[in-house]
Amino acid sequence: MTKSPALPDRFHDVEHLEEVMTTPSTALVAALENLPGDIIVLGVGGKIGPSLAQLAKRAAPGKRVVGVARFSEKGLREKLAGCGIECIEADLLDRKQIDALPKLANVVFMAGRKFGSSGHEDLTWAMNAHVPALVAEAFAGSRIVAYSTGCVYPYVNVHHGGATEATAATPPPGAYANSCVAREGMFRYFSRTRGTPGRIIRLTMRSTCATACCTMSPRAYSPANRSISPRATST
């Protein structure tokens, strides 16, 4: 079994933390070596995107890693470019700008409106439901990994086993949670109707730690297993 790099006793500063976070394990290096095609990260400017893109580039320096965002954060584009990541400024609400993006084989979808929905619910719906439909249609020939959230699950009594896929039809109230259900629905729809292979990753926040819950079929990707096929999970 391959191991991840050993963690230091302490982090000296943010730069040291990021260096550790973006140091690939031997397992990741091997996995990306066997992955056909290059990688494009849509929504690379968020909380996780910059580290993920750097990690991918360090694990597979010979692959083309493209990061797409509005790049509103000062200095981020220059930082990523300095790491060998090709940066493209684009507004994913604009179909023409999506169509102009390079159609690489592997898509990591991280775009979305996460907080501050009150008063701008229409924008939340557009980003979390409309944009996934545009991307799924434009990248129908790619493999797509879409980041989502545990908020697609309803609140349940913790003494009764937790939420499952079967109860997810009634999510917590609010535009954010409901639009995230729509996001997953868009990717599933285009996967079913266009045969686009992919997976949905749900990020669940617990206090100050985050765990990624991969809602996918237990079968590995193969030409015979091309669709997004989530299964019930509990965390």
Side-chain angles (χ1 to χ4, degrees), residues 33-179:
E33 284 180 351
N34 293 323
L35 179 71
D38 296 317
I39 301 168
I40 185 168
V41 182
L42 303 180
V44 75
K47 297 189 296 293
I48 302 174
S51 298
L52 183 144
Q54 292 176 71
L55 179 63
K57 188 62 179 180
R58 293 182 68 180
K63 286 187 182 296
R64 184 184 181 191
V65 177
V66 177
V68 178
R70 294 190 181 95
F71 291 107
S72 56
E73 180 182 337
K74 185 178 179 181
L76 177 60
R77 180 170 188 164
E78 293 75 15
K79 178 180 179 180
L80 292 178
C83 297
I85 297 161
E86 181 181 340
C87 296
I88 299 177
E89 183 176 344
D91 182 354
L92 297 180
L93 285 166
D94 187 333
R95 181 189 296 269
K96 292 182 179 179
Q97 294 188 45
I98 293 177
D99 290 341
L101 295 174
K103 301 305 182 288
L104 303 186
N106 304 289
V107 178
V108 181
F109 181 86
M110 310 189 79
R113 183 171 169 83
K114 298 174 177 62
F115 305 108
S117 294
S118 180
H120 299 281
E121 289 85 355
D122 57 339
L123 178 58
T124 299
W125 277 99
M127 283 300 304
N128 293 347
H130 179 56
V131 169
L134 296 179
V135 167
E137 185 174 35
F139 286 87
S142 303
R143 290 179 291 271
I144 301 176
V145 173
Y147 268 64
S148 189
T149 173
C151 286
V152 299
Y153 287 106
Y155 297 122
V156 296
N157 189 319
V158 296
H159 300 294
H160 292 82
T164 66
E165 292 281 342
T167 61
T170 55
Y176 173 63
N178 284 282
S179 65

Side-chain angles (χ1 to χ4, degrees), residues 152-235:
V152 299
Y153 287 106
Y155 297 122
V156 296
N157 189 319
V158 296
H159 300 294
H160 292 82
T164 66
E165 292 281 342
T167 61
T170 55
Y176 173 63
N178 284 282
S179 65
C180 291
V181 174
R183 170 172 55 207
E184 294 191 6
M186 290 299 97
F187 280 116
R188 290 175 184 171
Y189 170 77
F190 281 94
S191 176
R192 178 174 61 81
T193 59
R194 302 294 178 88
T196 303
R199 294 292 184 263
I200 293 172
I201 302 290
R202 290 181 182 147
L203 187 68
T204 304
M205 304 303 295
R206 287 180 174 175
S207 300
T208 57
C209 69
T211 59
C213 176
C214 183
T215 62
M216 66 179 186
S217 165
R219 295 168 295 170
Y221 167 76
S222 69
N225 175 32
R226 291 176 53 84
S227 64
I228 292 177
S229 179
R231 60 180 172 85
T233 57
S234 59
T235 57

